[in-house]
Amino acid sequence: MQLRLSKTPELLAPVGGKEQLLAAVNFGADAVYLATNKFGMRAKAQNFKLEEIPEIVEFAHNNNVKVYVTVNILMHDDDIQELPDYFKSLVDAGVDAFIIGDMGAVAVAKKIAPNVAIHISTQASVANSEACKVWEQIGASRIVLAREMSLEQIKALDTNLDLEAFVHGAMCMSVSGRCLISSYLTGRSANKGACTQPCRWGYSLLEEKRPRQQFDIGEDNFGTYIMNSKDMNMLMHLDKVCDAGISSIKIEGRNKKALYVATVVNAYRHVLDGENPKKWVGELDKVSHRPYSTGFYFGEAEQSPDYDGYEQECVHVGDVLDDGKILCRNHFEEGETLEALIPGGDVCEVKVTGLSYNNKPVEVANRAKEIYEIDTKLKKGSLLRSKTFLRTSRTVC
C-alpha cells in the first residue's frame, strides 16, 4: 500500500559530476546539491569547475530543478578571503542556494549575495530550537539537521525555518561528520573535505582497560570494524519523515556514480509520487551500499562490525543514447537479459538481441565508452544494468 504523506517534500539529490547531474534530473530530483573544486566536503568527488556552473544551472533550471552549492568546509581566514569573489561568481551563475556550515562564511554570503538562500549545513550540528532561531536571525532560510536527531526531536523543534534531513546513504561515526581521526592519522582533514574514512579501516586491539566497563570486541585476521557505520535507508518511513515537519529529503552520495544516483532517486521519486514502497525498496539493494539501518531516527544508530566494504546486486553496463544506441560501460553479451532503468517508468527486463558495433554483428560488448546497438529501442536516458552480485568486503568469522 502507498504511504500517506502529509506533504510531498523536495527530493534533493547528490551530484558529483555531469553524469550524476543528468541521472538526477532524468530520474526525478527536485533539486541537486554539488560543489566546485573549492570549499566542498567531498574533495574526492569529480566536482565541477567554477566556470562550468552557469551551464549546469541553466540545464537544471530548464528542467525545473534547483541547484544548491556546498560551501561547507571548516573555514580559515585564507578561505574567507577568497569567498567574496567566489560568491559573486555563483550569483552570476544563478545558483539557488548556498549550503554553509561556518558563521563567518554566512556573514560574507549575506553581504555579497543577499538574495541567494542560505542553507545551514549538517556540519553545523543544529539540533535544537534556539540554534535554529540564531541562524534565522542572521539570514538562514533552511537548516540541514544534525544527523543525530530522532524524528520525535525533529517534530518538537520550534522554528520557522525549512528543515532538510538526510534519508539515504552513508552515515558517519562522528557527530555530523565533524571528525579528527583522518587528520590525525593521515594529515588529510575530513573537515576540509579530504576524509580518508579511517572509521572503515580494520583495527587490532592489543590491550583494553576500562574501569567498571567491559568492552567485548571480535576480530578476524584483518582486525575489527567497530566504528564502521551502517548506511541509512528511510524509503519505508517517508510518511513519518514528512509528519516530523521535514520539507526536503536528502540523498547522500556525491562520491557515488550515475547508476547509484539514478537508482536511488528513482525509487524515492516513485514512492513520493504515491507508489507502494515495498515495490521499490528492493531497488536500493541493486546499488553499492553497506548494510542498511534507519540512522538515529528511531533510536541509536547501528554499526556494521562485520563489514569493511560494500555489496551490490547489479552492475552498470550501458547508457541509452539517441536512436537507441548504447554507450558501453561494462561487459554485456548477445542473448543476455539486462535490466533497464527507465526515466519516469518502471524497471523492465531487456534481452540483448541484434548486438552490433560499427554496423557489424558482435557477440560481446566490451569496449568501454564505445557505442553499440541492440534491436530493442529504449527511451533516451535509460540505464542498463546486469544482474551481477558484487561484494567488496571481509567478514568477521
Side-chain angles (χ1 to χ4, degrees):
M1 89 184 172
Q2 70 183 62
L3 300 179
R4 295 184 178 180
L5 305 182
S6 55
K7 182 181 179 181
T8 302
E10 172 187 81
L11 179 56
L12 178 56
V15 169
K18 290 184 177 180
E19 292 177 354
Q20 294 90 329
L21 173 67
L22 186 61
V25 170
N26 282 344
F27 287 90
D30 298 307
V32 298
Y33 65 105
L34 53 84
T36 72
N37 50 14
K38 290 183 176 182
F39 307 126
M41 287 296 293
R42 293 294 182 269
K44 290 186 291 184
Q46 183 180 349
N47 292 319
F48 298 91
K49 296 177 181 178
L50 185 57
E51 56 267 27
E52 293 178 312
I53 299 300
E55 175 189 352
I56 298 304
V57 172
E58 181 180 15
F59 170 75
H61 285 178
N62 286 342
N63 287 278
N64 299 313
V65 174
K66 294 181 179 180
V67 178
Y68 309 149
V69 177
T70 63
V71 192
N72 58 344
I73 63 167
L74 175 69
M75 294 281 176
H76 291 106
D77 277 339
D78 53 350
D79 299 311
I80 294 293
Q81 290 170 8
E82 291 187 55
L83 286 180
D85 289 340
Y86 185 71
F87 283 139
K88 287 176 184 176
S89 296
L90 295 177
V91 171
D92 291 341
V95 304
D96 297 285
F98 305 138
I99 302 175
I100 302 176
D102 180 270
M103 191 173 294
V106 171
V108 175
K110 295 306 294 182
K111 291 178 183 177
I112 302 300
N115 296 321
V116 177
I118 302 294
H119 298 174
I120 302 304
S121 171
T122 191
Q123 297 296 121
S125 300
V126 178
N128 63 77
S129 302
E130 292 303 316
C132 290
K133 292 174 184 177
V134 170
W135 284 113
E136 183 180 8
Q137 289 171 3
I138 63 176
S141 60
R142 177 184 292 186
I143 297 293
V144 187
L145 294 165
R147 300 193 198 191
E148 295 73 34
M149 296 187 74
S150 70
L151 288 179
E152 289 302 313
Q153 290 169 334
I154 294 170
K155 189 181 295 187
L157 284 175
D158 178 15
T159 180
N160 298 315
L161 297 176
D162 286 341
L163 301 180
E164 176 183 309
F166 284 92
V167 295
H168 195 92
M171 293 284 286
C172 180
M173 54 75 62
S174 188
V175 176
S176 292
R178 297 184 301 171
C179 185
L180 300 177
I181 303 176
S182 180
S183 180
Y184 177 75
L185 292 179
T186 71
R188 292 171 56 182
S189 173
N191 299 302
K192 285 288 189 178
C195 184
T196 57
Q197 293 194 321
C199 58
R200 314 292 184 187
W201 300 352
Y203 288 89
S204 296
L205 183 65
L206 298 178
E207 181 180 1
E208 180 69 29
K209 293 182 179 179
R210 296 190 177 194
R212 299 180 301 279
Q213 182 180 358
Q214 181 177 347
F215 187 64
D216 295 326
I217 187 169
E219 297 186 46
D220 64 8
N221 293 333
F222 302 100
T224 184
Y225 318 107
I226 57 172
M227 293 185 287
N228 184 31
S229 299
K230 289 186 177 182
D231 284 1
M232 182 188 289
N233 179 349
M234 288 290 287
L235 188 71
M236 297 295 296
H237 307 286
L238 293 183
D239 52 347
K240 298 179 182 65
V241 170
C242 292
D243 288 345
I246 294 168
S247 57
S248 178
I249 61 170
K250 189 171 193 173
I251 297 167
E252 187 276 338
R254 284 200 297 113
N255 281 330
K256 299 289 190 179
K257 297 187 183 299
L259 181 65
Y260 176 94
V261 174
T263 302
V264 178
V265 169
N266 189 53
Y268 278 85
R269 180 77 275 158
H270 279 275
V271 175
L272 290 176
D273 288 347
E275 295 191 34
N276 189 336
K278 290 182 179 179
K279 175 183 176 181
W280 292 98
V281 69
E283 280 290 289
L284 303 176
D285 292 326
K286 304 292 179 73
V287 294
S288 177
H289 67 282
R290 298 182 179 91
Y292 285 129
S293 75
T294 54
F296 288 89
Y297 286 129
F298 301 109
E300 290 298 313
E302 299 175 352
Q303 304 301 100
S304 181
D306 297 340
Y307 289 86
D308 71 336
Y310 304 84
E311 60 184 46
Q312 62 192 79
E313 295 181 357
C314 287
V315 173
H316 187 189
V317 298
D319 301 346
V320 179
L321 308 177
D322 290 316
D323 302 321
K325 293 180 173 63
I326 310 299
L327 177 67
C328 180
R329 296 288 188 177
N330 275 295
H331 174 285
F332 63 97
E333 301 178 358
E334 174 75 13
E336 183 178 357
T337 298
L338 304 175
E339 291 183 344
L341 194 64
I342 300 174
D346 285 334
V347 178
C348 64
E349 289 191 341
V350 177
K351 187 172 183 178
V352 178
T353 59
L355 181 62
S356 65
Y357 175 69
N358 284 340
N359 297 316
K360 296 180 180 179
V362 293
E363 291 298 315
V364 178
N366 56 6
R367 298 172 182 264
K369 298 296 182 73
E370 294 291 328
I371 296 176
Y372 291 78
E373 291 189 66
I374 61 174
D375 287 340
T376 304
K377 303 305 179 186
L378 297 167
K379 184 177 180 180
K380 180 182 178 182
S382 298
L383 302 183
L384 296 177
R385 62 196 189 194
S386 67
K387 290 177 279 189
T388 304
F389 181 79
L390 293 178
R391 173 177 286 162
T392 55
S393 64
R394 299 185 289 264
T395 58
V396 176
C397 300

